Amino acid sequence: MGSARTAEQRQSRERGAVALSQRLRFGQFPEPQDGLRFLTSRRHEAHAKKSDGDITAAIRESEQWQEVMVPVLEQWAERRRRTKDGSRLKPGPAPMYSPEEFEVMELYRRVMGATSYRATVERLSGFGTHRDRRLLGFDQERQAIRRGEPITFPGVPSETAMSKYRSDIGDDEREELWSRFLTRLRRDYAALSDDDASRIFHLDGTHVRVQGQAPIVDPNTGEVVNDGINPRTGRPAITVPDGGYIPPFRKGTKGGHGFTLVPLLDNRGVPVAHAVERIHEAEKDIAVNVISSWAAELRPHYPTNVVRVLSADSGLNSPRVRIACRNAGIIENLHPVSHGDAPESRRRADDYDRMRWGIAGTDAFKLNGHRELVPMCGCGTPTIARQAWIGKLGKAYTRLKGTCSTCGETVTLTSGRKRRAQNPDSVVRKSYRDPELSADLAAGNPLTYNDPMSLQYGAARFSRGEGWNGALARRYKLNNKRRRFRSRRQVELETNIVFSIMVSLAIAGREHEAGAVQQQLAA
Ligand SMILES: [Zn+2]
């Protein structure tokens, strides 16, 4: 088959896609959304004319903060006032700032996108932020300025006070508290997520790189090769013991020492679940955990019994990711071939176009490598029907039906009922004795590489998903350069605070939208 023929095929396929997109019937599938903005973007906030102080104060006043954070923060305040065994009050003056005030500072720091506490104190001490100081209750002078400390406003907790607080409470407890806060926010957000935008998910990992050294393990011997003493500092060379390592790539902008953050985003860019793992862990495995944790913790709070769609790049194409999706009531929009423009991807896509696999039980149709129906009658493009539903146990099912409108041949493929077979290449009935992982879930999933509906979900992933990790880097600086994290706990704490801000903004945005709809109805 020459390349001319392939170009011709591609053209006819594109014409077909255009014709189809005008009469796509989404049925049980969510409708792809155009013109949706991230509820988490700076632009959205600017539109609402909110300063960093406004956002921080609004989160502090929220019922979620009052109900989840405040009771624990009050316990911590009591603990800090007492001696270690708790039997009596510490002598001397009580701490000048409460744990709640320290956590408000930590929140403000992430809202303003600062990577250091010092930058936060300096900004909040400045002339331009007196309104923020008042909003956050730091506008009254409390401490005398000590010699040797940078000059800051004497009502803003100093770096020394903050580091004392951090070491008193510890990363573990703080991370757990922020994690509980985030979970509560996500549940409340889920209860507001009753539209198609919240049924379309994207999953795309990003590297959170650290300045220190994680253990580097020799893949052949399994031994750590970089432990010992750093001659420059005289301290252990490994400073991030629970971090991971992969050799740097893309001119050193990816890889190295650190962690991988895998967020599950809805179509508004809201991170509804996530996981942080060592940078060398397989993204597929992390994805399985993220999807499963969403299903266990969040799914019961969403409108039930609706089919959701998750798009991810070809790197996540694996039977285990597909099974995790189905178990969570999600149809995966996931392809073995990348949609990227690299010549290699294009060549591979063309190869998959040309493949022909038999389908046990019919001679009228075959599958190409993308698991798209190819009619053998030669009449042309068949009519495709896409079905999806949620079964009794909450799993997602999907079915692909092809009909030749000219000669009337039909075929129905139900995803999960077929497995791959070789000699000749084909899909055959999967018996109940075959292991679950042997099912070819892609066969019978209508969201294939060239499917116009799949393209619409995927387009959203490229314009939003790729942009999302960039926004995370620009706005919150979580993943833009190597950070000074010393442990996974610290990365998780940072992520929990940043994601709490995003979900809080999303809740406010959804409530605002609901209010606008109410007003329109009343008018
Ligand atoms: Zn036909």
Side-chain angles (χ1 to χ4, degrees):
M1 222 178 277
S3 61
R5 175 85 181 269
T6 308
E8 195 178 292
Q9 279 178 338
R10 193 192 287 280
Q11 270 180 7
S12 87
R13 197 169 65 208
E14 277 161 11
R15 275 199 302 276
V18 170
L20 268 170
S21 69
Q22 285 157 0
R23 52 188 170 87
L24 278 181
R25 289 171 55 184
F26 289 95
Q28 294 299 309
F29 286 89
E31 267 194 59
Q33 308 283 303
D34 281 332
L36 256 192
R37 272 185 301 174
F38 289 159
L39 284 178
T40 49
S41 75
R42 201 43 130 169
R43 255 176 62 201
H44 186 85
E45 291 160 30
H47 189 66
K49 292 193 181 63
K50 283 180 173 174
S51 75
D52 293 343
D54 286 314
I55 293 167
T56 310
I59 294 173
R60 183 194 198 164
E61 281 153 24
S62 69
E63 62 172 273
Q64 294 88 2
W65 180 282
Q66 295 302 321
E67 289 172 19
V68 179
M69 300 292 275
V70 168
V72 177
L73 293 168
E74 281 175 355
Q75 282 174 25
W76 291 355
E78 185 60 22
R79 199 201 301 171
R80 291 191 87 211
R81 276 193 290 269
R82 294 188 164 273
T83 52
K84 219 163 203 164
D85 63 358
S87 63
R88 57 197 168 82
L89 289 174
K90 274 183 193 164
M96 206 168 301
Y97 296 94
S98 68
E100 184 174 22
E101 288 176 314
F102 286 114
E103 296 300 344
V104 164
M105 282 300 287
E106 289 282 75
L107 178 61
Y108 183 76
R109 170 179 153 189
R110 274 65 179 203
V111 171
M112 71 174 264
T115 52
S116 77
Y117 186 68
R118 170 171 292 204
T120 316
V121 175
E122 280 171 0
R123 165 131 179 248
L124 199 54
S125 297
F127 289 111
T129 48
H130 59 279
R131 187 169 167 275
D132 283 1
R133 274 204 300 277
R134 186 167 47 74
L135 282 168
L136 304 180
F138 297 121
D139 56 334
Q140 302 297 320
E141 294 191 16
R142 287 191 230 188
Q143 75 271 35
I145 296 170
R146 281 190 214 165
R147 236 175 278 169
E149 277 200 354
I151 296 173
T152 57
F153 186 82
V156 175
S158 67
E159 274 186 281
T160 318
M162 176 58 94
S163 67
K164 174 86 170 59
Y165 166 71
R166 284 195 195 129
S167 72
D168 275 1
I169 304 301
D171 293 338
D172 290 4
E173 278 190 87
R174 296 188 55 227
E175 191 274 317
E176 272 165 36
L177 178 58
W178 278 98
S179 168
R180 280 178 47 207
F181 181 53
L182 175 57
T183 302
R184 166 66 189 272
L185 288 167
R186 280 173 169 161
R187 284 180 185 168
D188 291 358
Y189 173 71
L192 298 167
S193 300
D194 53 357
D195 61 350
D196 281 1
S198 52
R199 292 168 56 195
I200 300 170
F201 290 150
H202 309 274
L203 201 141
D204 191 10
T206 181
H207 288 166
V208 178
R209 298 165 333 121
V210 298
Q211 289 186 5
Q213 293 255 323
I216 301 177
V217 179
D218 183 322
N220 298 319
T221 62
E223 272 171 30
V224 176
V225 298
N226 63 333
D227 55 355
I229 298 296
N230 180 338
R232 202 166 45 79
T233 61
R235 293 190 184 159
I238 294 173
T239 51
V240 192
D242 61 357
Y245 174 81
I246 52 172
F249 59 102
R250 254 192 240 168
K251 292 177 183 160
T253 61
K254 299 262 170 184
H257 299 269
F259 301 87
T260 297
L261 165 64
V262 179
L264 178 66
L265 308 173
D266 75 3
N267 217 33
R268 290 189 170 83
V270 179
V272 293
H274 75 274
V276 174
E277 296 290 348
R278 294 180 297 175
I279 199 167
H280 59 258
E281 307 280 354
E283 203 171 317
K284 290 173 189 177
D285 296 339
I286 308 173
V288 167
N289 291 338
V290 172
I291 295 162
S292 309
S293 82
W294 175 84
E297 287 170 31
L298 265 295
R299 190 183 179 200
H301 301 272
Y302 277 86
T304 51
N305 230 27
V306 291
V307 171
R308 294 184 165 79
V309 170
L310 180 148
S311 299
D313 68 34
S314 58
L316 288 172
N317 175 47
S318 94
R320 291 186 53 229
V321 172
R322 290 176 187 272
I323 289 171
C325 283
R326 300 299 176 86
N327 289 343
I330 298 167
I331 307 291
E332 74 287 359
N333 183 24
L334 200 58
H335 306 137
V337 180
S338 166
H339 274 278
D341 276 333
E344 205 182 285
S345 307
R346 297 208 152 216
R347 221 171 8 246
R348 210 161 115 87
D350 288 342
D351 288 347
Y352 272 61
D353 281 342
R354 281 192 293 264
M355 289 177 187
R356 292 292 179 269
W357 299 347
I359 302 171
T362 180
D363 294 323
F365 290 85
K366 287 197 172 189
L367 288 176
N368 66 17
H370 305 295
R371 277 67 154 184
E372 288 157 350
L373 290 172
V374 181
M376 290 292 106
C377 55
C379 307
T381 316
T383 307
I384 299 293
R386 307 171 184 84
Q387 295 172 359
W389 68 97
I390 301 289
K392 275 188 198 133
L393 299 174
K395 292 187 185 185
Y397 294 88
T398 176
R399 185 177 280 157
L400 172 64
K401 200 171 168 186
T403 307
C404 175
S405 47
T406 313
C407 66
E409 291 281 4
T410 70
V411 66
T412 301
L413 277 176
T414 304
S415 175
R417 301 253 180 94
K418 294 276 192 274
R419 65 173 174 83
R420 287 284 307 279
Q422 266 139 12
N423 298 323
D425 275 330
S426 56
V427 293
V428 298
R429 193 181 168 82
K430 173 184 163 295
S431 118
Y432 288 100
R433 281 188 299 271
D434 292 324
E436 194 187 15
L437 279 170
S438 72
D440 186 0
L441 287 169
N445 180 343
L447 302 179
T448 56
Y449 186 86
N450 295 299
D451 177 62
M453 208 157 115
S454 161
L455 288 172
Q456 289 191 35
Y457 295 126
R461 189 178 75 80
F462 277 101
S463 65
R464 292 176 218 287
E466 303 295 301
W468 195 89
N469 280 335
L472 188 69
R474 280 192 304 278
R475 166 72 207 268
Y476 297 103
K477 318 263 191 322
L478 186 59
N479 51 342
N480 69 330
K481 57 176 184 177
R482 292 187 296 135
R483 298 278 310 265
R484 286 179 184 276
F485 297 119
R486 288 285 172 265
S487 67
R488 180 162 131 175
R489 272 284 197 203
Q490 290 183 350
V491 178
E492 286 182 332
L493 173 60
E494 179 92 1
T495 307
N496 287 334
I497 299 176
V498 167
F499 284 7
S500 293
I501 296 165
M502 290 180 165
V503 182
S504 295
L505 290 172
I507 289 174
R510 287 294 283 156
E511 284 169 347
H512 179 79
E513 282 175 7
V517 169
Q518 285 290 320
Q519 279 183 350
Q520 278 176 0
L521 288 176

